[in-house]
Amino acid sequence: MKHKIKNISKIYNYYEKFVKKYRIFFVTLLCLSTVSNIITLSNPILTGTIIDDAINANMDGVIETILIIFFLFLINSITSFIYTYINNFLQNKIISDIKKITYSKIIGMELENFNNATIGKYISFLEGDTASISSFYVSAINSFLTCVIAIAMSGYFIFKISIRLSLVGIIAIPIMFMINIYFGKTIKKIQEMAREISDRYANNIQESLRGLKEIKGLSIESIVKNRNSQNLDDLYRTNLKKSTISSVGGLTQNLSGFLMQILIYYWGCVMIGARSLSVGHFTAFNSYINQFISSLQKISNINVSFQTTLVSIDRYEEIISNCRQEELSRKKYGELNGNIEVKELFFSYEDKKNVFNGLNINITSNELVAIVGANGSGKTTFMNLLMGFYKPKSGEILFDNLNSLEMDLVTLRENITYVQQYPFLFNDTVKNNLLAVKENATEDELVKVCKDVCLYDTIIKMPKGFDTVIGDGGTKLSGGQRQLLSIARGLLRNTKIFLLDEITSNIDGLTERNIVQTVFRLSQNHTVIMATHRATTIMQIPRIIVICDVKNVAEGTHEKLLNECMTYKELFEKNRQQLVC
């Protein structure tokens, strides 16, 4: 019982979260539905009256009743049209609202949360669970209240017409409810399985489309197709199983209702023969008892929708509500000077082995620094910590002597441009990709930043220049052009600090020289931290910090480290050999 109360409380909490603001529309739907129900429930008694008047040759009464039925039909038609319009409005509006709220929460999550859930799981929720939640609140709850009204009204009429026949009719009620409770629990378990498979399917689609080039290059199309087919087969079998169980439950309910109907026919005929019930009243009774049982069935079937919605709400809590959101309202500061100090920094992912174990780094404003280390040494993690994507386990990251944990993340990130090895670009024009970071930028500003990174000549040779669409993720550009465009975008932001993560790792020598020249120009007025392992890039940087064995082990110029740091020497020689190969 406590579990059921908890579930009902959960349903109400999410009503408050998602749909309470539309309560006036729900009340309107209920009123319209009530009017429609009253009209529908008046038809049997009017039909019965026509039959009895016809038997008694009272044609005036027949005509009068027909006119009443026609008038009620017109009212019901208008009511139904308005009801359908509002219902459709609510369905679509609530789905839209839930998706907006959910997407906003996903975007606002701490990045650590994404280590515990696949992208497909979020996509599956947005496309599947939102519809289940909306349908329940708009249709199921309204249907429940409507059915309660229908049960009350039809129950009144059946007992008014004949108490003995009514007692025969309600025999099937407890049987129907027990059937529904049993099948409802079973369907909830199957629905949970279906959602898990749907998550897996969505994630596989997302992964395969994102990595299509690699899939084709490795000739593993058959593996990807088989995996997709397996997911679809599993989803098909699960949905078929759910439909079959639902059908069996419905068939069992119909059987109990049919047996009840047979008893009513028999007992009603006995009463008609005994002159204790008229033909018209018996006809009306049959209509009302069918309405009564049908409404009870709908209420019991709502249990299935209730269980499905609980699964969706549980998933919302699992992947959305219980995940930590980034705190964006801490103390705000203005423009930073660009001084960065890291003190005794300890960090690990989810209580695993430490990535950093007492890291200490001091970088002054307008300084160009290279962070080097073997793969897995923590170069990218260091960048992520500076951006506030992750929080240190202990120690401090100071910007101009301000602790990053006490700073507003928006303010922090407005002062830092982070250019990654594989930059994110919109499937849009070159111009719009630049304007994404500064909507009011002038044409001259766009031209200037592109010239600064030696990209302007490439752009004007494109079919539509700055209005050329670059494809999904910039697929119509080369790797070097994508890097240059992302750096140009950073220049347009004109932040004080630049973090460059392996931006010269997969480009040709000429593009590398252009990027390095751009970086040196940047460092005249900006603090630039460059994580790299490319030998030809490293040797040009005036200050190099070597990270190894979870802490920084040495720093200095290229020549100094070659002579004094064996770790750096081995790393440099290895990278130079790879470059030659």
Side-chain angles (χ1 to χ4, degrees):
M1 186 64 182
K2 288 182 179 179
H3 183 66
K4 289 182 179 179
I5 292 173
K6 181 181 177 182
N7 286 339
I8 293 171
S9 175
K10 187 181 293 185
I11 290 289
Y12 179 76
N13 289 338
Y14 280 84
Y15 164 79
E16 292 270 320
K17 184 190 295 286
F18 293 134
V19 297
K20 185 179 179 181
K21 63 180 177 179
Y22 299 112
R23 56 186 176 274
I24 185 65
F25 292 100
F26 287 105
V27 172
T28 303
L29 279 183
L30 181 60
C31 292
L32 291 171
S33 183
T34 302
V35 170
S36 181
N37 253 334
I38 291 172
I39 293 172
T40 302
L41 289 167
S42 67
N43 282 332
I45 198 69
L46 291 172
T47 303
T49 301
I50 288 175
I51 293 171
D52 286 342
D53 284 341
I55 291 172
N56 296 322
N58 181 12
M59 294 309 296
D60 289 339
V62 170
I63 294 171
E64 183 180 337
T65 306
I66 288 174
L67 290 174
I68 293 172
I69 290 175
F70 178 73
F71 177 72
L72 292 176
F73 168 78
L74 291 177
I75 296 175
N76 198 31
S77 297
I78 296 170
T79 302
S80 296
F81 175 80
I82 299 172
Y83 177 91
T84 302
Y85 178 83
I86 296 176
N87 185 75
N88 291 337
F89 162 77
L90 281 176
Q91 286 274 15
N92 290 287
K93 186 62 177 173
I94 291 171
I95 288 177
S96 177
D97 284 359
I98 297 174
K99 285 184 176 181
K100 287 177 183 178
I101 293 169
T102 304
Y103 184 76
S104 178
K105 284 185 174 292
I106 291 171
I107 293 298
M109 282 181 185
E110 292 184 359
L111 284 181
E112 231 171 323
N113 295 315
F114 289 92
N115 298 331
N116 302 319
T118 63
I119 300 300
K121 195 164 191 174
Y122 295 110
I123 295 173
S124 176
F125 180 88
L126 286 169
E127 296 305 314
D129 294 272
T130 51
S132 297
I133 294 172
S134 173
S135 177
F136 177 79
Y137 286 110
V138 176
S139 300
I141 292 180
N142 182 66
S143 178
F144 173 80
L145 295 173
T146 302
C147 287
V148 169
I149 294 170
I151 288 168
M153 293 181 65
S154 57
Y156 166 78
F157 281 117
I158 61 175
F159 277 96
K160 183 175 178 61
I161 292 170
S162 173
I163 294 177
R164 284 184 292 175
L165 272 182
S166 300
L167 293 175
V168 173
I170 63 176
I171 292 174
I173 295 175
I175 300 173
M176 292 168 59
F177 271 105
M178 285 189 290
I179 291 170
N180 194 268
I181 290 171
Y182 171 77
F183 283 102
K185 290 179 180 178
T186 306
I187 286 174
K188 183 184 179 184
K189 293 177 182 178
I190 297 173
Q191 180 67 19
E192 290 172 346
M193 292 172 54
R195 286 301 183 202
E196 289 177 7
I197 297 169
S198 182
D199 291 345
R200 199 164 65 236
Y201 166 73
N203 191 61
N204 183 65
I205 291 292
Q206 190 264 344
E207 283 182 338
S208 59
L209 293 179
R210 185 177 56 191
L212 190 58
K213 186 184 292 184
E214 287 77 7
I215 289 169
K216 288 182 177 293
L218 294 169
S219 298
I220 57 173
E221 291 98 330
S222 59
I223 294 175
V224 174
K225 288 177 184 176
N226 290 337
R227 188 177 296 169
N228 182 65
S229 296
Q230 183 62 53
N231 288 333
L232 285 172
D233 288 343
D234 290 344
L235 194 59
Y236 155 74
R237 283 190 290 268
T238 305
N239 285 332
L240 181 61
K241 185 178 180 181
K242 183 175 74 172
S243 300
T244 302
I245 290 175
S246 181
S247 297
V248 171
L251 182 63
T252 309
Q253 284 186 337
N254 289 337
L255 179 61
S256 62
F258 175 74
L259 293 175
M260 176 270 300
Q261 191 73 53
I262 294 296
L263 288 174
I264 287 175
Y265 284 154
Y266 173 77
W267 195 253
C269 289
V270 170
M271 293 178 68
I272 291 172
R275 307 291 183 187
S276 59
L277 184 68
S278 71
V279 175
H281 280 110
F282 179 66
T283 303
F285 181 89
N286 270 302
S287 294
Y288 284 124
I289 195 66
N290 286 334
Q291 286 274 3
F292 187 82
I293 298 299
S294 174
S295 297
L296 284 173
Q297 284 181 327
K298 287 179 181 178
I299 285 181
S300 60
N301 288 336
I302 289 170
N303 181 48
V304 175
S305 179
F306 180 79
Q307 300 299 338
T308 301
T309 304
L310 280 177
V311 171
S312 295
I313 286 177
D314 287 342
R315 281 162 54 80
Y316 184 90
E317 293 181 344
E318 175 194 350
I319 65 177
I320 307 294
S321 290
N322 293 337
C323 291
R324 295 186 302 276
Q325 297 282 304
E326 288 188 328
E327 298 176 24
L328 301 176
S329 58
R330 295 191 288 267
K331 190 173 182 180
K332 297 181 182 294
Y333 295 89
E335 185 176 343
L336 297 175
N337 292 321
N339 297 295
I340 303 171
E341 186 176 4
V342 178
K343 291 183 177 180
E344 292 298 317
L345 182 69
F346 287 77
F347 177 76
S348 65
Y349 291 101
E350 298 179 350
D351 299 323
K352 296 179 181 177
K353 181 181 177 181
N354 279 352
V355 179
F356 296 125
N357 193 10
L359 185 69
N360 290 281
I361 293 177
N362 197 340
I363 300 169
T364 59
S365 178
N366 301 338
E367 185 177 10
L368 172 57
V369 176
I371 305 292
V372 302
N375 290 333
S377 61
K379 299 187 295 295
T380 298
T381 300
F382 177 64
M383 301 281 192
N384 288 333
L385 286 164
L386 292 180
M387 289 295 297
F389 294 150
Y390 300 103
K391 296 177 183 178
K393 302 302 178 184
S394 64
E396 293 180 313
I397 298 175
L398 304 174
F399 293 90
D400 299 343
N401 294 319
L402 303 172
N403 192 320
S404 63
L405 294 179
E406 298 175 359
M407 296 176 65
D408 171 58
L409 287 176
V410 172
T411 303
L412 175 65
R413 292 168 188 168
E414 284 176 349
N415 281 276
I416 303 175
T417 291
Y418 182 23
V419 181
Q420 302 178 69
Q421 182 177 1
Y422 303 104
F424 170 76
L425 296 170
F426 293 99
N427 183 13
D428 206 335
T429 63
V430 173
K431 182 178 181 179
N432 286 339
N433 268 280
L434 292 169
L435 292 176
V437 298
K438 188 178 180 181
E439 292 182 353
N440 60 349
T442 64
E443 201 77 31
D444 290 341
E445 287 179 300
L446 300 184
V447 171
K448 183 180 183 303
V449 295
C450 290
K451 284 183 175 179
D452 286 344
V453 298
C454 303
L455 186 63
Y456 179 73
D457 291 340
T458 301
I459 293 173
I460 60 174
K461 291 177 183 176
M462 292 178 179
K464 295 183 179 179
F466 278 89
D467 292 321
T468 302
V469 177
I470 62 175
D472 188 17
T475 52
K476 294 182 181 179
L477 304 178
S478 68
Q481 289 168 349
R482 288 196 291 271
Q483 289 289 12
L484 291 173
L485 182 58
S486 65
I487 295 172
R489 188 167 59 184
L491 288 175
L492 194 61
R493 293 187 74 208
N494 196 32
T495 58
K496 186 60 183 178
I497 300 169
F498 278 77
L499 307 180
L500 311 177
D501 189 3
E502 298 286 7
I503 63 172
T504 61
S505 60
N506 298 307
I507 56 177
D508 60 73
L510 178 60
T511 304
E512 180 189 5
R513 284 195 295 274
N514 289 337
I515 289 178
V516 171
Q517 289 172 8
T518 301
V519 169
F520 272 97
R521 287 197 298 272
L522 264 178
S523 63
Q524 294 174 9
N525 298 297
H526 304 268
T527 303
V528 182
I529 303 174
M530 192 173 187
T532 182
H533 69 272
R534 191 169 173 118
T536 50
T537 302
I538 297 171
M539 57 194 301
Q540 301 180 64
I541 307 299
R543 181 184 172 203
I544 303 165
I545 298 174
V546 184
I547 296 177
C548 181
D549 296 329
V550 302
K551 62 173 62 179
N552 50 318
V553 295
E555 62 178 83
T557 63
H558 170 65
E559 291 77 12
K560 178 184 177 182
L561 291 172
L562 276 180
N563 295 325
E564 298 178 6
C565 180
M566 185 57 64
T567 300
Y568 177 78
K569 184 176 181 180
E570 291 175 354
L571 184 66
F572 180 77
E573 291 297 332
K574 179 181 177 182
N575 291 332
R576 187 168 63 175
Q577 289 171 10
Q578 290 175 346
L579 189 62
V580 171
C581 293

